[in-house]
């Protein structure tokens, strides 16, 4: 593990598991509601360990813009307030403040620290974010699906260091040193050797206290990343993998275990401080993590989760019926979770009790506190390198255009992006597209009217456009029959997407009704699907534009894999910036679309 000045701390150290074992997924389970919150060693032989955790940072070194940079907070009178939050300067300061007075403190993350990052990090293959994580004192993380965006070799480089194989070193005389913390990939193995890609677990040690961390990503990672990113890798069941390595740790004498899991849940409220265990333990959360939590061995004492970008601190009983916390700190560094783990020196295990004080609490990374000076310097240094590219104006808007933060399944920014993709590929010789489809997960942010720098209000810079479309996926135009297109639309709300629908963003001219009172594929009203006012013909062939991820069947859209006569067009980012430039100016800015192409019945 590469050392950095920040990692040479005497208060704690990490011991990495055997090299032949792979670590994946980062989940930390907090103590159940009611664990003792003291931090000093007690006469009875117990000591409180502070577990600080976060997830889904996605390279957001600077405070996220628009709705992506706020959290919803329930006020004492029951009303809700939007609070600006996030940014590496404030996250580092929050963690450092939280550690004060806690001689036993460990910091963990649950994956997607990088990938789908704003330009400041993404332009440099996320080296700035790894450097920031080293500085703020991260001890361990699991991988998430986005750690595989650029493939296994790039993930290995982020762990071990070294300059980028194509772009080289970004700063004269400086070589990228890699992560000063282990990436855990317990459930990710090489197809040929069967060995884990990276370490499967690590053990944190301090003054006789030992806590093991097992990291996994969701088993379905290959379904939500480009095929090249996971080529040659196998992804295994999260529960089976965690249970396996919990036994390995126990044989090594490590009985206190935290699972870092890049898979999450869907809370009943969007407010970070709602009561997740009301009316009963775990009643306020649903989704994949609930089933995982119910089956992970009782040997694991806490689960730190991610992936869904939601905020919760819940108690879900383990298979033996004992209370166990399951937490997630939203995304983009807007929250961090503080969990108390009461360690019994005699049994070497975590004491899980049920009393009134909460064992795990989410805290806002607010922007009213002082900034961490070293993060300010880091951001300024990388911004200087990015400035020639990032600050270039590419368009103008008259108001905020909601994307990631839109309340409805169809977003105004999703409409803009799909229209841009259609325009870039509709001409003869450029694909001949008749319509375009965009996966909702690829819309990573909003476009904010307020200036993020010195460019002026309403000006869209290349850096801001990059934040919205950071993957640089190439556009594909393929032949699909009307039947195949309908099947794809139905897959938005059926099969792997039935529990958590993925509503595609559609270009102008494609309209249909989505009836959410029905179930499965029936939610898409067949007779309502029209292109330019004409009913979809199941037997007719249509030219459909989409990014290469969707064309490969990503996000559960297997119907699109059957597309024929593929034409490869420009990147999604080039199509987006080109559209903004062509359709807006300072005197005539782009107005947010109405987002009325999909009629939703609730």
């Amino acid at each position: 593990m590469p050392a950095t000045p920040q990692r040479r701390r005497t208060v704690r150290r990490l011991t990495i598991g055997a090299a032949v074992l792979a670590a994946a997924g980062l989940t930390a389970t907090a103590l159940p509601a009611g664990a003792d919150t003291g931090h000093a060693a007690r006469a009875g032989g117990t000591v409180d360990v502070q577990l600080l955790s976060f997830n889904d940072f996605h390279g957001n070194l600077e405070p996220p813009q628009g709705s992506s940079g706020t959290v919803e907070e329930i006020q004492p009178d029951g009303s809700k307030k939007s609070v600006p939050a996030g940014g590496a300067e404030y996250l580092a300061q929050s963690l450092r403040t939280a550690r004060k007075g806690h001689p036993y403190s460990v910091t963990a993350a649950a994956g997607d620290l990088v990938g789908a990052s704003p330009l400041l990090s993404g332009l440099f293959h996320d080296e700035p974010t790894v450097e920031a994580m080293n500085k703020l004192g991260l001890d361990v993380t699991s991988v998430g699906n986005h750690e595989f965006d650029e493939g296994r070799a790039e993930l290995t480089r982020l762990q071990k260091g070294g300059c980028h194989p194509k772009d080289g070193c970004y700063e004269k005389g400086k070589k990228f040193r890699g992560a000063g913390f282990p990436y855990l990939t317990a459930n990710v193995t090489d197809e040929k050797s069967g060995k884990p890609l990276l370490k499967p677990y690590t053990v944190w040690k301090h003054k006789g206290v030992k806590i093991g961390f097992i990291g996994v990503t969701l088993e379905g990672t290959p379904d939500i990343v480009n095929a090249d990113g996971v080529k040659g890798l196998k992804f295994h069941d999260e529960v089976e993998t965690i249970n396996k390595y919990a036994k390995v740790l126990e044989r090594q004498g490590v009985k206190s275990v935290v699972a870092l899991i890049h898979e999450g849940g869907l809370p009943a409220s969007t407010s970070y401080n709602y009561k997740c265990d009301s009316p009963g333990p775990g009643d306020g959360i649903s989704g994949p993590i609930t089933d995982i939590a119910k089956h992970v061995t009782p040997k694991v004492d806490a689960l730190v989760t991610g992936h869904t970008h939601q905020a919760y601190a819940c108690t879900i009983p383990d298979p033996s019926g004992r209370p166990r916390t399951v937490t997630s700190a939203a995304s983009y560094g807007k929250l961090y979770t503080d969990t108390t783990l009461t360690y019994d020196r005699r049994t070497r295990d975590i004491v899980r009790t049920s009393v009134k004080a909460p064992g795990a609490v989410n805290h806002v990374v607010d922007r009213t506190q002082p900034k961490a000076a070293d993060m300010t310097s880091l951001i300024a240094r990388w911004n200087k390198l990015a400035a020639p590219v990032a600050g270039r104006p590419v368009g103008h808007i008259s108001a905020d255009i909601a994307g990631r933060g839109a309340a409805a399944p169809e977003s105004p920014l999703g409409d803009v992006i799909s229209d841009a993709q259609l325009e870039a590929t509709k001409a003869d010789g450029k694909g001949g597209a008749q319509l375009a489809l965009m996966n909702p997960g690829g819309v990573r942010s909003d476009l904010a009217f307020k200036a993020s720098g010195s460019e002026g209000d309403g000006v869209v810079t290349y850096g801001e456009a990059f934040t919205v479309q950071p993957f640089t996926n190439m556009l594909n135009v393929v032949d699909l029959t009307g039947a195949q297109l309908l099947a794809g639309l139905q897959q938005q709300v059926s099969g792997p997407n039935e529990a958590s629908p993925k509503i595609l963003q559609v270009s102008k001219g494609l309209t249909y009704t989505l009836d959410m009172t029905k179930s499965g594929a029936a939610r898409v009203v067949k007779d309502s699907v029209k292109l330019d006012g004409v009913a979809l013909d199941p037997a007719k062939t249509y030219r459909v534009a989409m990014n290469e991820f969707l064309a490969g069947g990503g996000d559960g859209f297997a119907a699109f894999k059957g597309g024929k006569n593929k034409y490869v067009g420009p990147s999604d980012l080039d199509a987006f910036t080109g559209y903004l430039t062509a359709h807006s100016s300072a005197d005539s800015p782009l107005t947010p679309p109405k987002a009325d192409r999909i009629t939703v019945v609730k």
Side-chain angles (χ1 to χ4, degrees), residues 433-457:
Q434 297 167 272
L435 67 142
L437 303 172
M438 175 65 196
N439 58 304
V443 184
R444 302 305 300 183
S445 184
D446 305 330
L447 277 184
F449 177 79
K450 184 178 180 181
S452 59
S454 60
E455 73 276 11
D457 290 347

Side-chain angles (χ1 to χ4, degrees), residues 219-231:
E219 184 181 9
T221 290
D223 298 327
I224 55 175
V225 300
N226 275 324
D228 287 346
V230 294
K231 188 176 181 180

